[in-house]
Amino acid sequence: SLIMSAYIYLFFYNFLFSLFDLKKINFNNKIFFLLFIFNLLVVGSRSFVGADWSIYELFFENLLNRDIIYNLLSWDPGYVVLNYLVTFIGGNFLLLNLFVTLIFLVGLSKFCFYLPYNFFPFFISTSYLIIVVSMGYPRQSIAIGLFFYALTLLFQNKKISYFFLILMASTFHMSAIILLLFLLYKVKLSIIRIIFFGLIFLTISLIFYYLFSARINNYLQDFIFDIQHNSSAAFIRHFLNIFTYSIFLIMCKVYKNDNLLIKNKDFFNYIYFILLILTPFVFVYSSLFDRFTLYFTCIQLYSMTYCLRILQDYLIKYIFYTLAVVMYFLILYVWLNYSPNSIGWMPYNIF
């Protein structure tokens, strides 16, 4: 229908750019910049889109009417500071959303450029990460963008940079604090180091709890103790992460000669193993689990992109690509038509 056509147009706009990867057409950053800017404008200049739009707008408009300490402790402090910065330079709520979207898209793009193809992973992000997460979850979308950027630094062994970026991400959405544990991937473990990193993680967690105990208790109430608060599609998103990486592992077995082309497979094996272990929790704490699943979407982008890279036979490559397009279109179509939350996205409005 017309009310969802804007999202379908965005999907196919990003799809057209992904053809550059399929055709192996040489491109420069200026072409990717066109893709980036269009998505920045569509997502960043939206109006009354997202389930919690009014809450965020009201917070911004009443920012100066409340005590700064109250603001910092009642909301995620990084997001509060961003609100103050936009207010300080005389910006409005539109400018704030453009900044939020910019941070998310820079992180996503940085991660895409770390992969063998750049347009394709950006395209498959459209269905959920761009349309749903970046439009509906402003604070967590910043945390995800910073995490994606931080991952590329971790892969270059820049552990300190990763540490500080994740700390910054956790000031926008405290769930990101758990991502510090991925530092263990780059550390040779010993009893002393396990104790050392355990104490650091525990100390940071306790500081967070001391400062934001009210918010953390609300999270616990909403996502753990309140059984009515559940995410019906959490398992589907979790399954997609496992399914896509399973396909990737099968392809690695079939096309063994190309395994040398694959970077950081051991890290994503690590994530895959964690996802498998945590699967039972998706049925018990679906909403809480779903929020963490959003960070792990990186495994989908990684596995789908490397699957396309591994396939050398053009016919099989085209079939895989076509199936991927169909699958991600169906994900978007089903969410727009059948998700109880999608009403907050209808219709798409612009400032």
Side-chain angles (χ1 to χ4, degrees):
S1 66
L2 286 174
I3 60 172
M4 66 177 86
S5 60
Y7 305 111
I8 303 297
Y9 289 148
L10 179 62
F11 179 88
F12 282 107
Y13 180 86
N14 292 353
F15 156 73
L16 290 174
F17 277 84
S18 73
L19 293 171
F20 285 118
D21 287 337
L22 191 65
K23 294 288 186 180
K24 292 187 177 178
I25 298 171
N26 289 326
F27 65 90
N28 54 35
N29 292 348
K30 290 178 182 176
I31 297 176
F32 193 91
F33 186 69
L34 287 174
L35 175 69
F36 183 94
I37 288 296
F38 185 78
N39 280 265
L40 175 63
L41 293 175
V42 170
V43 176
S45 61
R46 70 195 184 281
S47 179
F48 291 98
V49 172
D52 297 327
W53 173 272
S54 299
I55 296 171
Y56 282 99
E57 188 177 37
L58 198 63
F59 178 79
F60 178 79
E61 289 174 353
N62 293 324
L63 188 71
L64 299 180
N65 298 330
R66 291 185 301 265
D67 180 67
I68 186 170
I69 302 299
Y70 172 81
N71 285 334
L72 288 168
L73 295 180
S74 60
W75 279 62
D76 293 284
Y79 184 74
V80 173
V81 170
L82 187 59
N83 275 254
Y84 276 113
L85 286 174
V86 172
T87 304
F88 179 74
I89 62 174
N92 57 8
F93 193 54
L94 165 63
L95 185 63
L96 174 66
N97 282 330
L98 283 168
F99 273 130
V100 170
T101 308
L102 179 67
I103 297 167
F104 167 73
L105 289 178
V106 165
L108 174 62
S109 301
K110 178 74 173 176
F111 185 72
C112 290
F113 267 88
Y114 195 79
L115 298 172
Y117 296 125
N118 313 131
F119 292 111
F120 180 69
F122 193 96
F123 157 64
I124 63 177
S125 303
T126 311
S127 299
Y128 200 77
L129 271 182
I130 294 175
I131 289 175
V132 181
V133 176
S134 72
M135 289 192 183
Y137 313 149
R139 290 173 298 119
Q140 192 169 10
S141 71
I142 293 178
I144 291 168
L146 292 173
F147 170 56
F148 280 12
Y149 198 104
L151 269 184
T152 66
L153 300 175
L154 186 64
F155 295 154
Q156 298 169 58
N157 213 32
K158 296 177 179 177
K159 296 186 284 288
I160 303 298
S161 299
Y162 177 86
F163 176 80
F164 283 109
L165 265 185
I166 296 304
L167 275 187
M168 188 188 297
S170 64
T171 67
F172 287 94
H173 204 275
M174 60 182 66
S175 61
I177 198 74
I178 200 76
L179 303 171
L180 285 176
L181 294 176
F182 287 144
L183 276 171
L184 297 175
Y185 160 69
K186 283 291 185 181
V187 176
K188 290 181 180 177
L189 293 179
S190 65
I191 297 297
I192 299 297
R193 283 178 172 170
I194 289 172
I195 293 171
F196 176 71
F197 282 107
L199 286 173
I200 289 177
F201 183 75
L202 183 62
T203 303
I204 293 170
S205 298
L206 287 173
I207 291 169
F208 261 75
Y209 186 78
Y210 176 75
L211 292 173
F212 309 109
S213 57
R215 285 187 57 74
I216 292 169
N217 288 334
N218 285 337
Y219 273 123
L220 292 173
Q221 179 61 39
D222 288 344
F223 292 121
I224 295 182
F225 303 125
D226 185 359
I227 298 174
Q228 301 302 316
H229 197 107
N230 61 69
S231 175
S232 55
F235 176 75
I236 296 170
R237 286 186 277 276
H238 176 66
F239 172 77
L240 269 172
N241 288 338
I242 290 175
F243 172 73
T244 52
Y245 200 76
S246 298
I247 297 294
F248 164 71
L249 290 177
I250 291 167
M251 285 194 183
C252 287
K253 291 287 185 184
V254 175
Y255 301 93
K256 290 180 181 177
N257 293 336
D258 294 304
N259 281 6
L260 292 174
L261 301 169
I262 301 166
K263 295 190 290 184
N264 298 111
K265 184 184 169 190
D266 50 345
F267 174 78
F268 287 97
N269 285 343
Y270 177 46
I271 291 185
Y272 181 66
F273 178 73
I274 292 170
L275 291 176
L276 289 174
I277 294 294
L278 294 178
T279 296
F281 292 97
V282 76
F283 300 104
V284 185
Y285 305 119
S286 60
S287 287
L288 179 70
F289 194 89
D290 200 29
R291 283 304 176 115
F292 288 108
T293 298
L294 296 177
Y295 297 111
F296 297 139
T297 310
C298 59
I299 201 173
Q300 252 182 82
L301 308 186
Y302 176 88
S303 55
M304 292 294 286
T305 305
Y306 268 109
C307 281
L308 197 66
R309 173 68 184 85
I310 289 169
L311 293 170
Q312 298 299 314
D313 183 283
Y314 275 107
L315 178 59
I316 299 174
K317 201 182 191 83
Y318 274 92
I319 291 171
F320 176 83
Y321 175 81
T322 305
L323 289 173
V325 172
V326 171
M327 181 175 82
Y328 284 100
F329 177 77
L330 287 174
I331 289 168
L332 175 60
Y333 183 82
V334 169
W335 186 85
L336 287 172
N337 284 278
Y338 300 106
S339 170
N341 297 321
S342 64
I343 191 169
W345 276 250
M346 306 296 180
Y348 172 81
N349 296 300
I350 196 165
F351 258 99

